Amino acid sequence: GKAMQLDTIPYEIGLIWHHTAETFKLPTVTTYMTVALTNWRLLDPSKPLTFDNCDAIMACSGTEDERWFYRVHIGIESIGAQVLRQMHDVEETMATLESS
């Protein structure tokens, strides 16, 4: 309950947290980047990134629901990256066509 909650984190944890944030030039808070974008691995590195071929490196609760929560975000970001590459290709094609 409320009586068991702390207003600060233990020094030892804070020191590691601060050092990690400094190393990776991140704020010392939990961010989307730290819990989703950089918190995954391929289950089978010889296969492409898919929802079924990735997993969270670290999950707070360790439940399958939490792991799927991260997988969905990883998948969305992966698809977004593919769309951006395709948009870039279209822009280059259009520029080539306009200059010829």
Side-chain angles (χ1 to χ4, degrees):
K2 187 78 169 162
M4 299 296 291
Q5 293 179 359
L6 298 174
D7 292 329
T8 61
I9 60 174
Y11 173 80
E12 294 80 4
I13 294 172
L15 183 64
I16 293 167
W17 196 350
H18 175 74
H19 177 72
T20 302
E22 288 287 315
T23 300
F24 294 105
K25 297 182 178 28
L26 295 169
T28 52
V29 295
T30 302
T31 65
Y32 179 68
M33 187 173 113
T34 57
V35 298
L37 300 183
T38 60
N39 182 32
W40 65 276
R41 65 184 178 88
L42 290 173
L43 296 172
D44 183 347
S46 68
K47 295 182 180 175
L49 175 59
T50 62
F51 290 114
D52 294 324
N53 191 35
C54 68
D55 192 20
I57 295 170
M58 185 184 75
C60 297
S61 69
T63 64
E64 196 60 22
D65 286 343
E66 180 186 10
R67 292 185 177 287
W68 270 103
F69 176 83
Y70 296 131
R71 286 180 186 140
V72 168
H73 288 272
I74 295 162
I76 290 169
E77 295 291 341
S78 174
I79 291 167
Q82 293 171 24
V83 168
L84 288 173
R85 279 191 292 275
Q86 291 170 353
M87 289 171 61
H88 176 71
D89 293 346
V90 167
E91 284 182 338
E92 285 188 336
T93 301
M94 293 301 293
T96 302
L97 291 173
E98 287 174 357
S99 66
S100 52

Coordinates of all heavy atoms in Angstrom, one line a residue:
G1 N 0.8 -1.2 0.0 CA 0.0 0.0 0.0 C 0.8 1.2 0.0 O 2.0 1.2 -0.2
K2 N 0.2 2.3 0.3 CA 0.8 3.7 0.2 C 2.0 3.8 1.2 O 3.0 4.4 1.0 CB -0.2 4.7 0.5 CG 0.3 6.1 0.4 CD 0.3 6.5 -1.1 CE 0.6 8.0 -1.2 NZ 1.0 8.4 -2.5
A3 N 1.9 3.1 2.4 CA 2.9 3.1 3.4 C 4.2 2.5 2.9 O 5.3 2.8 3.3 CB 2.5 2.5 4.7
M4 N 4.1 1.6 1.9 CA 5.3 0.9 1.4 C 6.0 1.6 0.2 O 7.0 1.2 -0.2 CB 4.9 -0.5 1.0 CG 4.3 -1.4 2.1 SD 5.6 -1.7 3.4 CE 6.7 -2.8 2.5
Q5 N 5.4 2.7 -0.3 CA 5.9 3.4 -1.4 C 7.0 4.3 -1.0 O 7.0 4.9 0.1 CB 4.8 4.2 -2.1 CG 3.8 3.3 -2.8 CD 2.7 4.1 -3.4 OE1 2.7 5.3 -3.4 NE2 1.7 3.4 -4.0
L6 N 8.0 4.5 -1.9 CA 9.1 5.3 -1.6 C 9.0 6.6 -2.5 O 8.5 6.6 -3.6 CB 10.5 4.6 -2.0 CG 10.8 3.4 -1.3 CD1 12.1 2.7 -1.9 CD2 11.0 3.7 0.2
D7 N 9.5 7.7 -2.0 CA 9.6 8.9 -2.7 C 10.8 9.0 -3.6 O 10.9 9.8 -4.5 CB 9.5 10.1 -1.8 CG 8.2 10.3 -1.1 OD1 7.2 9.9 -1.7 OD2 8.2 10.8 0.1
T8 N 11.8 8.2 -3.3 CA 13.1 8.2 -4.0 C 13.4 6.8 -4.3 O 12.9 5.8 -3.7 CB 14.2 8.9 -3.3 OG1 14.4 8.2 -2.0 CG2 13.9 10.4 -3.0
I9 N 14.3 6.6 -5.3 CA 14.8 5.3 -5.5 C 16.2 5.1 -4.8 O 16.9 6.0 -4.5 CB 15.0 5.0 -7.0 CG1 16.0 6.0 -7.6 CG2 13.7 5.1 -7.7 CD1 16.3 5.7 -9.1
P10 N 16.5 3.8 -4.5 CA 17.8 3.6 -3.8 C 19.0 4.1 -4.6 O 19.0 4.1 -5.8 CB 17.9 2.1 -3.6 CG 16.4 1.6 -3.7 CD 15.8 2.6 -4.7
Y11 N 20.0 4.6 -3.9 CA 21.2 5.2 -4.5 C 21.8 4.3 -5.5 O 22.2 4.8 -6.6 CB 22.2 5.6 -3.4 CG 23.5 6.1 -4.0 CD1 23.6 7.4 -4.4 CD2 24.6 5.2 -4.1 CE1 24.8 7.8 -4.9 CE2 25.8 5.7 -4.6 CZ 25.9 7.0 -5.0 OH 27.1 7.4 -5.6
E12 N 21.9 3.0 -5.2 CA 22.6 2.1 -6.1 C 21.9 2.0 -7.4 O 22.5 1.9 -8.5 CB 22.7 0.7 -5.4 CG 23.6 0.7 -4.2 CD 22.9 1.2 -2.9 OE1 21.7 1.5 -3.0 OE2 23.6 1.3 -1.9
I13 N 20.5 2.0 -7.4 CA 19.8 1.9 -8.6 C 19.9 3.2 -9.4 O 20.0 3.3 -10.6 CB 18.3 1.5 -8.3 CG1 18.2 0.1 -7.8 CG2 17.4 1.7 -9.6 CD1 16.9 -0.3 -7.2
G14 N 19.7 4.3 -8.6 CA 19.8 5.7 -9.2 C 21.2 5.9 -9.9 O 21.2 6.5 -11.0
L15 N 22.2 5.4 -9.3 CA 23.6 5.6 -9.9 C 23.7 4.8 -11.3 O 24.1 5.4 -12.2 CB 24.6 5.1 -8.9 CG 26.1 5.3 -9.4 CD1 26.4 6.7 -9.5 CD2 27.0 4.6 -8.3
I16 N 23.2 3.6 -11.3 CA 23.2 2.8 -12.5 C 22.3 3.5 -13.6 O 22.7 3.6 -14.7 CB 22.8 1.4 -12.2 CG1 23.9 0.7 -11.4 CG2 22.6 0.6 -13.5 CD1 23.4 -0.6 -10.8
W17 N 21.1 3.9 -13.2 CA 20.2 4.5 -14.0 C 20.7 5.8 -14.7 O 20.7 6.0 -15.9 CB 18.9 4.8 -13.3 CG 17.7 5.1 -14.0 CD1 17.6 5.3 -15.4 CD2 16.4 5.2 -13.5 NE1 16.3 5.5 -15.7 CE2 15.5 5.5 -14.6 CE3 15.8 5.1 -12.3 CZ2 14.1 5.7 -14.5 CZ3 14.5 5.3 -12.1 CH2 13.6 5.6 -13.2
H18 N 21.4 6.6 -13.8 CA 22.0 7.8 -14.3 C 23.1 7.6 -15.3 O 23.2 8.2 -16.3 CB 22.4 8.7 -13.1 CG 23.2 9.9 -13.5 ND1 22.5 11.0 -14.0 CD2 24.5 10.2 -13.5 CE1 23.4 12.0 -14.3 NE2 24.6 11.5 -14.0
H19 N 24.0 6.6 -14.9 CA 25.1 6.3 -15.8 C 24.6 5.8 -17.1 O 25.2 6.2 -18.2 CB 26.0 5.3 -15.1 CG 27.2 4.9 -16.0 ND1 28.2 5.7 -16.2 CD2 27.4 3.7 -16.6 CE1 29.1 5.1 -17.0 NE2 28.6 3.9 -17.3
T20 N 23.6 4.9 -17.1 CA 23.1 4.4 -18.4 C 22.5 5.5 -19.2 O 22.7 5.6 -20.4 CB 22.0 3.3 -18.1 OG1 22.6 2.3 -17.3 CG2 21.5 2.7 -19.4
A21 N 21.7 6.4 -18.6 CA 21.1 7.5 -19.3 C 22.2 8.4 -19.9 O 22.1 8.9 -21.1 CB 20.2 8.3 -18.4
E22 N 23.2 8.7 -19.2 CA 24.3 9.5 -19.7 C 25.0 8.8 -20.8 O 25.3 9.5 -21.9 CB 25.4 9.8 -18.6 CG 24.9 10.7 -17.5 CD 24.8 12.2 -18.0 OE1 25.8 12.6 -18.7 OE2 23.8 12.8 -17.7
T23 N 25.3 7.6 -20.7 CA 26.0 6.8 -21.8 C 25.2 6.8 -23.1 O 25.8 7.0 -24.1 CB 26.2 5.3 -21.3 OG1 27.0 5.3 -20.1 CG2 26.9 4.5 -22.4
F24 N 23.9 6.6 -23.0 CA 23.1 6.6 -24.2 C 22.4 7.9 -24.5 O 21.6 8.0 -25.5 CB 22.0 5.5 -24.1 CG 22.6 4.1 -24.0 CD1 22.7 3.4 -22.9 CD2 23.2 3.5 -25.2 CE1 23.3 2.1 -22.8 CE2 23.7 2.3 -25.2 CZ 23.8 1.6 -24.0
K25 N 22.8 9.0 -23.8 CA 22.2 10.3 -24.0 C 20.7 10.3 -24.0 O 20.1 10.8 -24.9 CB 22.8 10.9 -25.3 CG 24.3 11.1 -25.3 CD 24.8 11.7 -26.5 CE 26.3 11.9 -26.5 NZ 27.2 11.2 -25.7
L26 N 20.2 9.7 -23.0 CA 18.7 9.6 -22.8 C 18.3 10.3 -21.5 O 19.2 10.4 -20.6 CB 18.3 8.1 -22.7 CG 18.4 7.3 -23.9 CD1 18.2 5.8 -23.6 CD2 17.5 7.7 -25.0
P27 N 17.1 10.7 -21.4 CA 16.7 11.3 -20.1 C 16.6 10.1 -19.1 O 16.4 9.0 -19.4 CB 15.3 11.8 -20.4 CG 14.8 11.1 -21.7 CD 16.1 10.8 -22.4
T28 N 16.7 10.5 -17.8 CA 16.6 9.5 -16.7 C 15.2 9.1 -16.4 O 14.8 9.2 -15.2 CB 17.4 9.9 -15.5 OG1 16.9 11.2 -15.2 CG2 18.9 10.0 -15.7
V29 N 14.4 8.9 -17.4 CA 13.0 8.4 -17.2 C 12.8 7.3 -18.2 O 13.5 7.1 -19.1 CB 12.0 9.6 -17.5 CG1 12.1 10.7 -16.4 CG2 12.1 10.1 -18.9
T30 N 11.7 6.6 -18.0 CA 11.3 5.6 -18.9 C 10.7 6.2 -20.1 O 9.8 7.1 -20.0 CB 10.3 4.6 -18.3 OG1 10.9 4.0 -17.1 CG2 9.9 3.5 -19.2
T31 N 11.2 5.9 -21.3 CA 10.7 6.5 -22.5 C 10.3 5.4 -23.5 O 10.6 4.2 -23.3 CB 11.8 7.3 -23.2 OG1 12.9 6.4 -23.7 CG2 12.4 8.4 -22.4
Y32 N 9.5 5.8 -24.5 CA 9.1 4.8 -25.5 C 10.3 4.1 -26.1 O 10.2 2.9 -26.4 CB 8.2 5.6 -26.5 CG 7.7 4.7 -27.7 CD1 6.7 3.8 -27.5 CD2 8.2 4.9 -29.0 CE1 6.2 3.0 -28.5 CE2 7.7 4.1 -30.0 CZ 6.7 3.2 -29.8 OH 6.3 2.4 -30.8
M33 N 11.3 4.9 -26.4 CA 12.5 4.3 -27.0 C 13.1 3.2 -26.1 O 13.5 2.2 -26.6 CB 13.5 5.4 -27.3 CG 14.7 4.9 -28.1 SD 15.8 6.2 -28.5 CE 17.2 5.8 -27.6
T34 N 13.2 3.5 -24.8 CA 13.8 2.5 -24.0 C 13.0 1.2 -23.7 O 13.5 0.1 -23.6 CB 14.3 3.1 -22.6 OG1 13.1 3.6 -21.9 CG2 15.3 4.1 -22.8
V35 N 11.6 1.4 -23.6 CA 10.8 0.2 -23.3 C 10.4 -0.5 -24.6 O 10.0 -1.7 -24.5 CB 9.6 0.5 -22.5 CG1 10.0 1.1 -21.1 CG2 8.7 1.5 -23.1
A36 N 10.4 0.1 -25.7 CA 9.9 -0.5 -27.0 C 11.0 -0.6 -28.1 O 11.3 -1.7 -28.5 CB 8.7 0.2 -27.5
L37 N 11.5 0.5 -28.5 CA 12.3 0.5 -29.6 C 13.7 -0.1 -29.5 O 14.3 -0.7 -30.4 CB 12.5 2.0 -30.1 CG 11.2 2.7 -30.5 CD1 11.6 4.1 -31.0 CD2 10.4 1.9 -31.5
T38 N 14.2 -0.1 -28.3 CA 15.6 -0.7 -28.1 C 15.5 -1.9 -27.1 O 16.5 -2.4 -26.7 CB 16.6 0.3 -27.5 OG1 16.0 0.8 -26.2 CG2 16.8 1.5 -28.4
N39 N 14.3 -2.4 -26.9 CA 14.1 -3.5 -26.0 C 13.5 -4.7 -26.7 O 12.5 -5.3 -26.3 CB 13.1 -3.0 -24.9 CG 12.9 -4.1 -23.8 OD1 13.7 -4.9 -23.5 ND2 11.7 -4.1 -23.3
W40 N 14.2 -5.1 -27.7 CA 13.7 -6.3 -28.5 C 14.9 -7.1 -29.1 O 16.0 -6.5 -29.2 CB 12.7 -6.0 -29.5 CG 13.2 -5.1 -30.6 CD1 13.4 -3.8 -30.6 CD2 13.7 -5.6 -31.9 NE1 13.9 -3.3 -31.8 CE2 14.1 -4.4 -32.6 CE3 13.9 -6.8 -32.5 CZ2 14.7 -4.5 -33.9 CZ3 14.4 -6.9 -33.8 CH2 14.8 -5.7 -34.5
R41 N 14.6 -8.3 -29.4 CA 15.6 -9.2 -30.1 C 14.9 -10.1 -31.0 O 13.7 -10.4 -30.8 CB 16.4 -10.0 -29.1 CG 15.5 -11.0 -28.3 CD 16.3 -11.7 -27.2 NE 15.5 -12.6 -26.5 CZ 15.2 -13.9 -26.8 NH1 15.8 -14.4 -27.9 NH2 14.4 -14.6 -26.1
L42 N 15.6 -10.6 -32.0 CA 15.0 -11.6 -32.9 C 15.1 -13.0 -32.2 O 16.2 -13.3 -31.7 CB 15.8 -11.6 -34.2 CG 15.6 -10.4 -35.2 CD1 16.5 -10.5 -36.4 CD2 14.1 -10.3 -35.6
L43 N 14.1 -13.7 -32.3 CA 14.1 -15.1 -31.7 C 15.0 -16.0 -32.6 O 15.7 -16.8 -32.1 CB 12.7 -15.6 -31.6 CG 11.8 -14.9 -30.6 CD1 10.4 -15.4 -30.7 CD2 12.4 -15.0 -29.2
D44 N 14.8 -15.8 -33.9 CA 15.7 -16.5 -34.9 C 16.3 -15.5 -35.8 O 15.7 -15.0 -36.7 CB 14.8 -17.5 -35.7 CG 15.6 -18.3 -36.7 OD1 16.8 -18.0 -37.0 OD2 15.1 -19.3 -37.3
P45 N 17.6 -15.1 -35.6 CA 18.3 -14.1 -36.3 C 18.4 -14.4 -37.8 O 18.6 -13.5 -38.6 CB 19.6 -14.0 -35.7 CG 19.5 -14.6 -34.3 CD 18.4 -15.6 -34.5
S46 N 18.2 -15.6 -38.2 CA 18.3 -15.9 -39.7 C 16.9 -15.6 -40.4 O 16.9 -15.7 -41.6 CB 18.6 -17.4 -39.9 OG 17.5 -18.2 -39.5
K47 N 15.9 -15.2 -39.7 CA 14.6 -14.9 -40.3 C 14.3 -13.4 -40.1 O 14.9 -12.7 -39.2 CB 13.5 -15.7 -39.6 CG 13.6 -17.2 -39.8 CD 12.5 -17.9 -39.2 CE 12.6 -19.4 -39.5 NZ 11.6 -20.2 -38.8
P48 N 13.5 -12.8 -40.9 CA 13.2 -11.4 -40.8 C 12.3 -11.1 -39.6 O 11.8 -11.9 -38.9 CB 12.3 -11.1 -42.1 CG 11.7 -12.4 -42.5 CD 12.7 -13.5 -42.0
L49 N 12.3 -9.8 -39.3 CA 11.5 -9.3 -38.2 C 10.0 -9.4 -38.5 O 9.5 -8.9 -39.5 CB 11.8 -7.8 -37.9 CG 11.0 -7.1 -36.9 CD1 11.2 -7.8 -35.5 CD2 11.5 -5.6 -36.8
T50 N 9.4 -10.2 -37.7 CA 7.9 -10.3 -37.7 C 7.4 -10.3 -36.3 O 8.2 -10.5 -35.3 CB 7.5 -11.7 -38.4 OG1 8.0 -12.8 -37.6 CG2 8.0 -11.8 -39.8
F51 N 6.1 -10.3 -36.1 CA 5.5 -10.3 -34.8 C 5.9 -11.6 -34.0 O 6.2 -11.6 -32.8 CB 4.0 -10.2 -34.8 CG 3.5 -8.8 -35.2 CD1 2.8 -8.7 -36.4 CD2 3.7 -7.7 -34.4 CE1 2.3 -7.4 -36.8 CE2 3.2 -6.5 -34.7 CZ 2.5 -6.3 -35.9
D52 N 6.0 -12.7 -34.8 CA 6.3 -14.0 -34.1 C 7.8 -14.2 -34.0 O 8.1 -15.2 -33.3 CB 5.6 -15.1 -35.0 CG 4.1 -15.1 -34.9 OD1 3.6 -14.7 -33.9 OD2 3.5 -15.4 -35.9
N53 N 8.6 -13.4 -34.6 CA 10.0 -13.6 -34.5 C 10.8 -12.6 -33.7 O 11.9 -12.3 -34.0 CB 10.6 -13.7 -35.9 CG 12.1 -14.2 -35.9 OD1 12.4 -15.1 -35.1 ND2 12.9 -13.7 -36.8
C54 N 10.1 -11.9 -32.8 CA 10.7 -11.0 -31.9 C 10.2 -11.2 -30.5 O 9.1 -11.7 -30.3 CB 10.6 -9.6 -32.4 SG 8.9 -8.9 -32.3
D55 N 11.0 -10.7 -29.6 CA 10.5 -10.7 -28.2 C 11.2 -9.6 -27.4 O 12.3 -9.1 -27.8 CB 11.0 -12.1 -27.6 CG 10.3 -12.3 -26.2 OD1 9.2 -11.7 -25.9 OD2 10.8 -13.2 -25.5
A56 N 10.6 -9.2 -26.4 CA 11.1 -8.2 -25.5 C 12.4 -8.7 -24.8 O 12.3 -9.9 -24.3 CB 10.1 -7.7 -24.5
I57 N 13.4 -7.9 -24.7 CA 14.6 -8.3 -23.9 C 14.2 -8.3 -22.5 O 14.6 -9.2 -21.7 CB 15.8 -7.4 -24.2 CG1 16.2 -7.6 -25.7 CG2 16.9 -7.7 -23.3 CD1 17.2 -6.5 -26.2
M58 N 13.6 -7.3 -22.0 CA 13.2 -7.1 -20.6 C 11.7 -6.8 -20.6 O 11.2 -5.9 -21.3 CB 14.0 -6.0 -20.0 CG 13.7 -5.9 -18.5 SD 14.6 -4.5 -17.7 CE 13.6 -3.2 -18.3
A59 N 11.0 -7.5 -19.7 CA 9.6 -7.3 -19.5 C 9.4 -7.1 -18.0 O 9.8 -8.0 -17.2 CB 8.7 -8.4 -20.1
C60 N 8.7 -6.1 -17.6 CA 8.6 -5.8 -16.1 C 7.8 -6.9 -15.4 O 8.2 -7.5 -14.4 CB 7.8 -4.5 -15.9 SG 8.8 -3.1 -16.5
S61 N 6.7 -7.3 -16.0 CA 5.8 -8.4 -15.4 C 6.2 -9.7 -15.9 O 6.0 -10.7 -15.2 CB 4.4 -8.1 -15.7 OG 4.1 -8.3 -17.1
G62 N 6.8 -9.8 -17.1 CA 7.2 -11.1 -17.7 C 6.0 -11.8 -18.3 O 6.1 -12.9 -18.8
T63 N 4.8 -11.2 -18.3 CA 3.6 -11.9 -18.8 C 3.7 -11.9 -20.3 O 4.3 -11.0 -21.0 CB 2.3 -11.2 -18.4 OG1 2.3 -9.9 -18.9 CG2 2.2 -11.2 -16.8
E64 N 3.0 -12.8 -20.9 CA 2.9 -12.9 -22.4 C 2.1 -11.7 -22.9 O 2.5 -11.2 -24.0 CB 2.2 -14.2 -22.8 CG 2.4 -14.5 -24.3 CD 3.8 -14.7 -24.7 OE1 4.7 -15.0 -23.8 OE2 4.1 -14.6 -25.9
D65 N 1.2 -11.2 -22.2 CA 0.4 -10.0 -22.6 C 1.4 -8.8 -22.7 O 1.3 -8.0 -23.7 CB -0.7 -9.6 -21.6 CG -1.9 -10.5 -21.7 OD1 -2.0 -11.2 -22.7 OD2 -2.7 -10.5 -20.7
E66 N 2.3 -8.6 -21.8 CA 3.2 -7.5 -21.8 C 4.2 -7.7 -23.0 O 4.5 -6.8 -23.8 CB 4.0 -7.4 -20.6 CG 5.0 -6.2 -20.6 CD 5.9 -6.2 -19.4 OE1 6.0 -7.1 -18.6 OE2 6.6 -5.2 -19.3
R67 N 4.6 -8.9 -23.2 CA 5.5 -9.2 -24.3 C 4.9 -8.9 -25.7 O 5.5 -8.3 -26.6 CB 6.0 -10.6 -24.3 CG 7.0 -10.9 -23.1 CD 7.5 -12.3 -23.1 NE 8.5 -12.4 -22.0 CZ 9.7 -11.9 -21.9 NH1 10.1 -11.1 -22.9 NH2 10.4 -12.1 -20.9
W68 N 3.6 -9.2 -25.8 CA 2.9 -8.9 -27.1 C 2.6 -7.4 -27.2 O 2.6 -6.9 -28.3 CB 1.5 -9.7 -27.1 CG 1.8 -11.0 -27.8 CD1 1.9 -12.2 -27.3 CD2 2.0 -11.2 -29.2 NE1 2.1 -13.2 -28.2 CE2 2.2 -12.5 -29.4 CE3 2.0 -10.3 -30.3 CZ2 2.5 -13.1 -30.7 CZ3 2.3 -10.8 -31.6 CH2 2.5 -12.2 -31.8
F69 N 2.5 -6.7 -26.1 CA 2.4 -5.2 -26.1 C 3.6 -4.6 -26.8 O 3.5 -3.8 -27.7 CB 2.2 -4.7 -24.7 CG 2.2 -3.2 -24.7 CD1 1.0 -2.5 -24.9 CD2 3.3 -2.5 -24.3 CE1 1.0 -1.1 -24.8 CE2 3.3 -1.1 -24.3 CZ 2.1 -0.4 -24.5
Y70 N 4.8 -5.1 -26.4 CA 6.0 -4.6 -27.0 C 6.1 -5.1 -28.5 O 6.5 -4.3 -29.4 CB 7.2 -5.1 -26.3 CG 7.3 -4.5 -24.9 CD1 7.5 -5.3 -23.8 CD2 7.1 -3.2 -24.6 CE1 7.6 -4.8 -22.5 CE2 7.1 -2.6 -23.4 CZ 7.4 -3.5 -22.3 OH 7.4 -2.9 -21.0
R71 N 5.7 -6.3 -28.8 CA 5.8 -6.8 -30.2 C 5.0 -6.0 -31.1 O 5.4 -5.8 -32.2 CB 5.3 -8.3 -30.2 CG 6.3 -9.3 -29.6 CD 5.7 -10.7 -29.7 NE 6.6 -11.6 -29.1 CZ 6.2 -12.6 -28.3 NH1 4.9 -12.8 -28.1 NH2 7.1 -13.4 -27.7
V72 N 3.8 -5.6 -30.7 CA 3.0 -4.8 -31.6 C 3.7 -3.5 -31.9 O 3.7 -3.1 -33.1 CB 1.6 -4.5 -30.9 CG1 0.8 -3.4 -31.6 CG2 0.8 -5.8 -30.8
H73 N 4.3 -2.8 -30.9 CA 5.0 -1.6 -31.2 C 6.2 -1.8 -32.1 O 6.5 -1.0 -32.9 CB 5.3 -0.9 -29.9 CG 4.2 -0.3 -29.1 ND1 3.7 0.9 -29.4 CD2 3.3 -0.9 -28.2 CE1 2.6 1.1 -28.6 NE2 2.4 0.0 -27.9
I74 N 6.9 -2.9 -31.8 CA 8.1 -3.2 -32.7 C 7.6 -3.4 -34.1 O 8.2 -2.9 -35.0 CB 8.8 -4.4 -32.1 CG1 9.4 -4.1 -30.7 CG2 9.9 -4.9 -33.1 CD1 9.8 -5.3 -29.9
G75 N 6.5 -4.1 -34.3 CA 6.0 -4.4 -35.6 C 5.6 -3.1 -36.3 O 5.8 -2.9 -37.5
I76 N 4.9 -2.2 -35.6 CA 4.4 -1.0 -36.2 C 5.6 -0.1 -36.6 O 5.6 0.4 -37.7 CB 3.5 -0.2 -35.2 CG1 2.2 -0.9 -35.0 CG2 3.3 1.3 -35.6 CD1 1.4 -0.4 -33.8
E77 N 6.6 0.0 -35.8 CA 7.8 0.8 -36.1 C 8.5 0.2 -37.3 O 9.0 0.9 -38.2 CB 8.7 0.9 -34.9 CG 8.1 1.7 -33.7 CD 7.9 3.2 -34.0 OE1 8.6 3.7 -35.0 OE2 7.2 3.8 -33.3
S78 N 8.6 -1.1 -37.4 CA 9.2 -1.8 -38.5 C 8.5 -1.5 -39.8 O 9.1 -1.2 -40.8 CB 9.3 -3.3 -38.2 OG 9.8 -4.0 -39.4
I79 N 7.2 -1.6 -39.8 CA 6.4 -1.3 -41.0 C 6.6 0.2 -41.4 O 6.7 0.5 -42.5 CB 4.9 -1.7 -40.8 CG1 4.8 -3.2 -40.7 CG2 4.0 -1.1 -41.9 CD1 3.5 -3.7 -40.1
G80 N 6.6 1.1 -40.3 CA 6.8 2.5 -40.6 C 8.1 2.7 -41.3 O 8.2 3.6 -42.2
A81 N 9.1 2.0 -40.9 CA 10.5 2.2 -41.5 C 10.4 1.8 -43.0 O 11.0 2.4 -43.8 CB 11.5 1.4 -40.7
Q82 N 9.7 0.7 -43.2 CA 9.6 0.2 -44.6 C 8.8 1.2 -45.5 O 9.2 1.5 -46.6 CB 8.8 -1.1 -44.7 CG 9.6 -2.3 -44.0 CD 8.7 -3.5 -43.9 OE1 7.8 -3.7 -44.6 NE2 9.1 -4.4 -42.9
V83 N 7.8 1.8 -44.9 CA 7.0 2.8 -45.7 C 7.9 4.0 -46.0 O 7.9 4.6 -47.1 CB 5.7 3.2 -44.9 CG1 5.1 4.5 -45.5 CG2 4.8 2.1 -44.8
L84 N 8.7 4.5 -45.0 CA 9.6 5.6 -45.2 C 10.6 5.3 -46.3 O 10.8 6.2 -47.2 CB 10.3 6.0 -43.9 CG 9.4 6.7 -42.8 CD1 10.2 6.8 -41.6 CD2 8.9 8.0 -43.3
R85 N 11.1 4.1 -46.3 CA 12.1 3.8 -47.4 C 11.4 3.8 -48.8 O 11.9 4.3 -49.8 CB 12.7 2.4 -47.2 CG 13.8 2.4 -46.2 CD 14.6 1.1 -46.2 NE 13.8 0.0 -45.6 CZ 13.6 -0.3 -44.3 NH1 14.3 0.4 -43.4 NH2 12.9 -1.3 -43.9
Q86 N 10.2 3.3 -48.8 CA 9.4 3.3 -50.1 C 9.1 4.7 -50.5 O 9.1 5.0 -51.7 CB 8.1 2.4 -49.9 CG 8.4 1.0 -49.8 CD 7.2 0.1 -49.4 OE1 6.2 0.7 -49.1 NE2 7.4 -1.2 -49.4
M87 N 8.7 5.6 -49.6 CA 8.4 7.0 -49.9 C 9.7 7.6 -50.5 O 9.6 8.4 -51.4 CB 7.9 7.7 -48.7 CG 6.5 7.3 -48.2 SD 6.0 8.0 -46.6 CE 6.1 9.7 -47.0
H88 N 10.8 7.3 -49.9 CA 12.1 7.9 -50.4 C 12.3 7.4 -51.8 O 12.7 8.2 -52.7 CB 13.2 7.5 -49.5 CG 14.6 8.0 -49.9 ND1 15.0 9.3 -49.9 CD2 15.6 7.3 -50.5 CE1 16.2 9.4 -50.4 NE2 16.6 8.2 -50.8
D89 N 12.1 6.1 -52.1 CA 12.3 5.6 -53.4 C 11.4 6.3 -54.4 O 11.8 6.6 -55.6 CB 12.1 4.1 -53.4 CG 13.1 3.3 -52.7 OD1 14.2 3.9 -52.3 OD2 12.9 2.1 -52.4
V90 N 10.1 6.5 -54.0 CA 9.2 7.2 -54.9 C 9.7 8.6 -55.2 O 9.6 9.1 -56.4 CB 7.8 7.2 -54.3 CG1 6.8 8.2 -55.1 CG2 7.2 5.8 -54.3
E91 N 10.1 9.3 -54.2 CA 10.7 10.7 -54.4 C 11.8 10.7 -55.4 O 11.9 11.6 -56.2 CB 11.1 11.3 -53.1 CG 9.9 11.8 -52.2 CD 10.4 12.4 -50.9 OE1 11.6 12.2 -50.5 OE2 9.6 13.2 -50.3
E92 N 12.7 9.7 -55.2 CA 13.9 9.7 -56.1 C 13.4 9.4 -57.5 O 13.9 9.9 -58.5 CB 14.9 8.6 -55.6 CG 15.7 9.1 -54.4 CD 16.8 8.1 -54.1 OE1 16.7 6.9 -54.5 OE2 17.8 8.5 -53.5
T93 N 12.5 8.5 -57.7 CA 12.0 8.1 -59.0 C 11.3 9.3 -59.7 O 11.5 9.6 -60.8 CB 11.0 7.0 -58.9 OG1 11.6 5.8 -58.4 CG2 10.4 6.6 -60.3
M94 N 10.5 10.1 -58.9 CA 9.8 11.3 -59.4 C 10.9 12.3 -59.8 O 10.7 12.9 -60.9 CB 8.9 11.8 -58.3 CG 7.7 10.9 -58.0 SD 6.7 10.6 -59.4 CE 6.0 12.2 -59.7
A95 N 11.9 12.5 -59.0 CA 12.9 13.5 -59.4 C 13.6 13.1 -60.6 O 13.9 13.9 -61.5 CB 13.9 13.6 -58.2
T96 N 13.9 11.8 -60.8 CA 14.6 11.3 -62.0 C 13.7 11.5 -63.2 O 14.1 12.0 -64.3 CB 14.9 9.8 -61.9 OG1 15.8 9.6 -60.8 CG2 15.6 9.3 -63.1
L97 N 12.4 11.2 -63.1 CA 11.4 11.4 -64.2 C 11.3 12.9 -64.5 O 11.2 13.2 -65.7 CB 10.1 10.8 -63.8 CG 10.0 9.3 -63.8 CD1 8.7 8.8 -63.2 CD2 10.3 8.7 -65.1
E98 N 11.3 13.8 -63.6 CA 11.1 15.2 -63.8 C 12.3 15.8 -64.5 O 12.2 16.7 -65.3 CB 10.8 15.9 -62.5 CG 9.4 15.7 -62.0 CD 9.2 16.3 -60.6 OE1 10.1 16.9 -60.0 OE2 8.1 16.2 -60.1
S99 N 13.5 15.3 -64.2 CA 14.7 15.8 -64.8 C 15.0 15.3 -66.2 O 15.9 15.7 -66.9 CB 15.9 15.6 -63.9 OG 16.2 14.2 -63.8
S100 N 14.3 14.2 -66.6 CA 14.6 13.7 -67.9 C 13.6 14.1 -69.0 O 12.7 14.8 -68.8 CB 14.6 12.1 -67.9 OG 13.5 11.6 -67.3

